[in-house]
Amino acid sequence: MSGPYPIRGSVSLPEAELQWRFSRSSGPGGQHVNTSDSQVELRFDLAATDALPEVWKTRALERLASRLVGGVVTVRASEHRSQWRNRETAAVRLAALLAEATAPPPKPRRPTKIPRGINERRLREKKQRSETKRSRRGGGDWG
């Protein structure tokens, strides 16, 4: 593995709290596909971890509630033939998932007011257009 996977800032995934499980992948393979365990399942106990600040942890538990099983989040990877690359993919995916789940909520939108001048100009142009069309409507009989 290529080392710590940053979540956000100086906080990264703790290696000691990651649980790995390997199984046979149903994806692409070569001659030894039936004998190698290339699919990776990475489990991280979000409810019990001390690696995340408390605020982030509660935010992540709320946002990932549908994905959690007993407070544990699971990520699978089986795109690559090699177990090592699948491990990398799973760890990066978990870090990205936690980064998104722990992100602060967006600032509330402040409703803006349309300036009076812009509104008046719009109505004036609308009235002009209406006059142009009315003048084209002539009631003449053409035949």
Side-chain angles (χ1 to χ4, degrees), residues 24 31 53 55 64 103 119 141 143:
R24 293 200 180 116
Q31 288 181 326
V55 180
L64 297 175
N119 209 19
D141 52 334

Side-chain angles (χ1 to χ4, degrees), residues 68-82:
L68 297 177
V69 178
V72 177
V73 65
T74 305
V75 175
R76 278 195 187 90
S78 61
E79 295 84 44
H80 306 289
R81 287 186 184 190
S82 82

